[in-house]
Amino acid sequence: MKYLKLDQKGFVLAEYIWIDGTNGVRSKTKTLDGPVKGPDELPEWNFDGSSTGQAPGDNSDVYIRPVAIYPDPFRGSPNILVLCETWDPDGSPNKFNYRHEAARLMNANAKHHFWFGLEQEYTLLSPEGWPYGWPKNGFPGPQGPYYCGVGTGKVYCRDIIEAHYKACLYCGVKIAGINAEVMPAQWEFQVGPCEGIELGDHLWMARFLLHRVAEEFGAKISFHPKPIPGDWNGAGLHTNVSTAEMRNDGGMKHIEAAMKKLEARHEDHILVYGEGNRERLTGQHETGNIDKFTWAVADRGASIRIPRSCARDGKGYFEDRRPASNGDPYQITGIIVETIFGGLPDEK
């Protein structure tokens, strides 16, 4: 890649990134005259929304507004990655712009200091769509040796995972760790703790980086919650939640109060917790049943798990295990805030 070392003559390449109408990421590059210090200094841009599932062909312009910038690990300094929101020509948020409403909820409840940490599971596939390392037209040995595994035959694609980890750190994404998961060729990375809307921003950027890194290795990334039917674990987006009240002494009563509210809106949450989640939430393979809300201490078969350490200390956080791996973090964190502290009036 000798061309990456060529002099850019003072120009900066800005990769504008947005979420499309299929819950995927898209991007395109703009040349800037020089460095910028923040997203407010960047121009609004647009794209053909009819080609991304976000607008009809006869009114296809969708506008992208920068909301966060990160160093570019692919092109190097001074180039940047730019996370954007999508907006319609009439000045309203595009129907797939879930960030806007989530940010309103976070700002309105800033005094509660919501902390989030999300555990993103995913599966690495070959170009043909079969999990990496699996026999062609066949299956590996039963689950057991793969979770946090070490050694040939137990883990696959560690080079991709390590490259992604470094790319996240370079960008300033708050990646907290990684591990191989229960199904072979399935991995997890964790993002957080982040306060408020920052969690969604960092998780989406981590997803973009994962796709871009895997692209260079010729691998596909699947966020399907049940990529392989049968006796194989699915993939989730376990969501850890804490408020200032939950972290203080006596916080367990606030956690228990939240459980009652979350139980009352179980179906509403399931609707925005990802596509295909019924295939995963069967009550088996470390999941609760999609039709029933449960919570318990240290139980990975419950809808929501209270860590044993939090129960012992009487404060801390809870883990919502219902979200699917393809869930949108803005929708997930937004509805949790709304359920616990109430919604907002429609924006005028």
Side-chain angles (χ1 to χ4, degrees):
M1 301 294 285
K2 60 184 179 181
Y3 301 104
L4 291 177
K5 298 180 181 179
L6 294 177
D7 185 3
Q8 295 180 191
K9 308 297 183 182
F11 294 103
V12 173
L13 305 182
E15 191 73 11
Y16 278 50
I17 301 159
W18 70 95
I19 302 150
D20 68 13
T22 62
N23 202 39
V25 285
R26 307 279 181 131
S27 73
K28 63 177 185 174
T29 311
K30 176 180 280 291
T31 302
L32 308 177
D33 291 335
V36 296
K37 295 180 180 179
D40 293 342
E41 298 180 22
L42 289 165
E44 184 181 88
W45 207 6
N46 63 76
F47 65 91
D48 171 16
S50 68
S51 296
T52 64
Q54 291 169 279
D58 60 356
N59 189 19
S60 62
D61 284 357
V62 177
Y63 295 87
I64 39 181
R65 297 179 184 175
V67 294
I69 61 174
Y70 305 84
D72 188 337
F74 306 108
R75 293 173 172 139
S77 180
N79 305 301
I80 55 175
L81 305 178
V82 183
L83 185 66
C84 302
E85 284 190 7
T86 52
W87 290 75
D88 290 336
D90 62 2
S92 63
N94 184 264
K95 64 180 180 179
F96 298 103
N97 177 359
Y98 302 121
R99 184 187 189 277
H100 178 70
E101 185 63 18
R104 291 183 66 224
L105 283 161
M106 300 300 174
N107 291 335
N109 291 283
K111 65 181 180 182
H112 299 293
H113 296 286
F114 267 91
W115 289 1
F116 297 102
L118 268 63
E119 305 168 27
Q120 176 69 74
E121 294 177 335
Y122 60 96
T123 308
L124 290 140
L125 306 178
S126 70
E128 293 73 37
W130 196 237
Y132 252 107
W134 288 35
K136 290 185 177 179
N137 302 316
F139 299 89
Q143 295 181 155
Y146 312 111
Y147 173 69
C148 296
V150 177
T152 301
K154 296 180 180 178
V155 293
Y156 305 96
C157 301
R158 193 183 291 275
D159 49 356
I160 297 176
I161 278 67
E162 293 290 336
H164 173 248
Y165 202 161
K166 288 290 188 74
C168 286
L169 292 173
Y170 178 88
C171 285
V173 168
K174 291 183 178 178
I175 185 169
I178 58 171
N179 61 268
E181 268 300 334
V182 177
M183 189 183 82
Q186 185 185 79
W187 284 80
E188 172 185 300
F189 64 86
Q190 303 93 34
V191 172
C194 298
E195 185 164 344
I197 201 66
E198 182 185 57
L199 187 282
D201 292 349
H202 282 228
L203 190 79
W204 271 113
M205 185 54 60
R207 284 178 172 177
F208 168 80
L209 293 170
L210 182 59
H211 282 296
R212 276 288 282 107
V213 168
E215 178 185 313
E216 297 190 6
F217 288 84
K220 293 181 179 179
I221 302 298
S222 171
F223 292 114
H224 194 287
K226 189 69 173 179
I228 304 296
D231 194 18
W232 303 99
N233 272 36
L237 185 60
H238 300 157
T239 301
N240 300 280
V241 184
S242 180
T243 64
E245 295 86 350
M246 294 175 188
R247 294 188 293 275
N248 291 334
D249 289 343
M252 187 55 65
K253 67 181 181 182
H254 295 281
I255 293 175
E256 292 174 353
M259 295 304 102
K260 294 179 181 179
K261 294 178 180 179
L262 290 164
E263 181 176 18
R265 296 195 69 199
H266 175 64
E267 293 182 0
D268 294 334
H269 282 246
I270 291 298
L271 287 174
V272 298
Y273 273 10
E275 297 292 328
N277 213 8
R278 182 168 289 277
E279 300 173 46
R280 168 180 163 263
L281 294 181
T282 61
Q284 299 178 339
H285 303 107
E286 300 181 87
T287 69
N289 188 289
I290 194 169
D291 296 316
K292 183 180 179 181
F293 179 89
T294 59
W295 68 275
V297 174
D299 184 357
R300 283 177 164 76
S303 306
I304 292 184
R305 178 181 70 93
I306 309 297
R308 191 170 298 283
S309 61
C310 296
R312 181 189 65 235
D313 297 340
K315 60 183 177 181
Y317 69 97
F318 65 85
E319 177 194 39
D320 191 339
R321 299 179 59 80
R322 296 172 294 172
S325 51
N326 59 10
D328 183 285
Y330 298 131
Q331 288 187 291
I332 293 167
T333 57
I335 196 172
I336 289 172
V337 173
E338 180 183 86
T339 295
I340 295 176
F341 289 114
L344 298 176
D346 292 337
E347 196 171 24
K348 295 180 180 180

